[in-house]
Amino acid sequence: MNEPLPVTRVTDHGTAKLMPDVDRDRAWLLTVDGAPQSYVDLDAPEHLEFEYARRLGHVLDTVAAPGRALDVLHLGGGALTLPRYVAVTRPGSRQDVVEADRGLLELVAEHLPLPAGSRIALHAADARAWVEAAPDASADVLVADVFGGSRVPAHLTTLAYAREAERVLRADGVYVANLADGAPFAFLRSQLATFAEVFEELALIAEPGVLRGRRFGNAVLVAAHRPVGTADLARLTAADAFPARVEHGPALRRFIGDARPVTDADAVPSPEPPDGAFGIG
């Protein structure tokens, strides 16, 4: 049997590369311009390799009763890791994936095809434009995992965007976003302040070393109008290979401090990661 070979393609927004994992059959790593974007095991889509993806998965596991089908809107496609995860863990879920890079969607569909009957619809479109056009109360969960290169685009950080996301969610819906920052956390604090303006409940999931400012890293923002199951999230994230903390309530308000919500006029992308922050090997 022939060994799978890496695939490299210049897409609309960069150079994408699919690399087979030598340790797992039919498992692939997707990088864009050298930055790791996604990991998918086609034989075990419930396997989440990246720590941030595991944390997003924990949120998806706790937003509703186990196995209950959900309507999920994913902003950012990558290799469709989380849509595949939801399709397996919550069969019958209806999912829309919005990815600005049409070439990347085509590459993934060609080399890492979705299983038949997965009920995952792919859309090549700008994430904010899609959200602004989406019907009211049409999603149970909105997952934002959008990076232009290694940075969250500015137009997905603002109060106007947060209000549109809230409009698209049902009354008990949950917004969850993958963000990245390091001390002094100007970007992360501004995002928390922005979503606190719109949603009643907030939580933040990150490794203690990131929260203490020791290194740059991912942080998962959770926002809703109902309690977000912080005890369950704390238990699940503490059991991971790289344990994380769940911050909420007064501790999170102290972290936000005097940060202000972001307007469209003053929005900036998330900071450029330092060299090696998200490298491979």
Side-chain angles (χ1 to χ4, degrees):
M1 182 175 171
N2 292 332
E3 292 292 320
L5 297 174
V7 179
T8 302
R9 185 177 298 175
V10 176
T11 63
D12 301 28
H13 293 171
T15 299
K17 189 170 186 178
L18 285 170
M19 292 180 282
D21 186 340
V22 296
D23 296 321
R24 297 175 74 103
D25 293 339
R26 302 188 73 224
W28 296 81
L29 172 70
L30 167 69
T31 66
V32 177
D33 293 337
Q37 293 283 341
S38 305
Y39 180 101
V40 168
D41 187 332
L42 296 178
D43 290 332
E46 71 281 1
H47 173 75
L48 299 177
E49 179 78 9
F50 292 169
E51 289 300 322
Y52 85 83
R54 287 179 61 82
R55 291 165 195 151
L56 293 170
H58 293 325
V59 177
L60 289 163
D61 289 345
T62 57
V63 293
R68 188 189 123 196
L70 298 171
D71 292 335
V72 185
L73 172 57
H74 299 265
L75 306 181
L80 311 177
T81 303
L82 287 166
R84 298 173 203 264
Y85 179 81
V86 171
V88 169
T89 59
R90 296 184 175 278
S93 292
R94 188 176 58 191
Q95 303 186 79
D96 287 291
V97 180
V98 181
E99 168 60 58
D101 191 333
R102 182 184 297 275
L104 180 60
L105 279 181
E106 292 170 351
L107 173 70
V108 170
E110 179 183 341
H111 291 277
L112 310 177
L114 291 166
S118 59
R119 300 192 77 191
I120 299 170
L122 307 181
H123 312 279
D126 174 77
R128 178 154 166 183
W130 184 274
V131 170
E132 289 174 346
D136 292 359
S138 55
D140 297 306
V141 186
L142 196 164
V143 181
D145 187 12
V146 184
F147 282 79
S150 298
R151 307 177 76 183
V152 178
H155 70 308
L156 300 179
T157 68
T158 72
L159 196 53
Y161 160 74
R163 287 184 173 133
E164 288 295 319
E166 190 260 356
R167 179 188 60 77
V168 169
L169 286 166
R170 297 188 175 122
D172 63 347
V174 175
Y175 178 89
V176 55
N178 178 34
L179 306 172
D181 201 2
F185 301 114
F187 175 76
L188 187 55
R189 291 168 64 237
S190 76
Q191 286 306 282
L192 290 162
T194 299
F195 281 83
E197 191 86 358
V198 177
F199 290 92
E200 295 169 44
E201 298 279 343
L202 286 189
L204 185 71
I205 308 169
E207 286 180 35
V210 172
L211 289 174
R212 292 185 189 123
R214 292 177 181 166
R215 64 181 189 80
F216 191 97
N218 293 95
V220 170
L221 164 67
V222 188
H225 286 303
R226 60 173 173 91
V228 292
T230 51
D232 288 337
L233 286 173
R235 176 176 51 80
L236 290 167
T237 57
D240 283 339
F242 295 93
R245 268 205 339 249
V246 179
E247 297 285 5
H248 61 101
L252 197 54
R253 287 192 289 274
R254 285 194 298 272
F255 181 80
I256 295 171
D258 59 359
R260 306 293 301 166
V262 178
T263 67
D264 281 338
D266 59 21
V268 296
S270 65
E272 190 78 49
D275 288 345
F278 298 131
I280 308 167

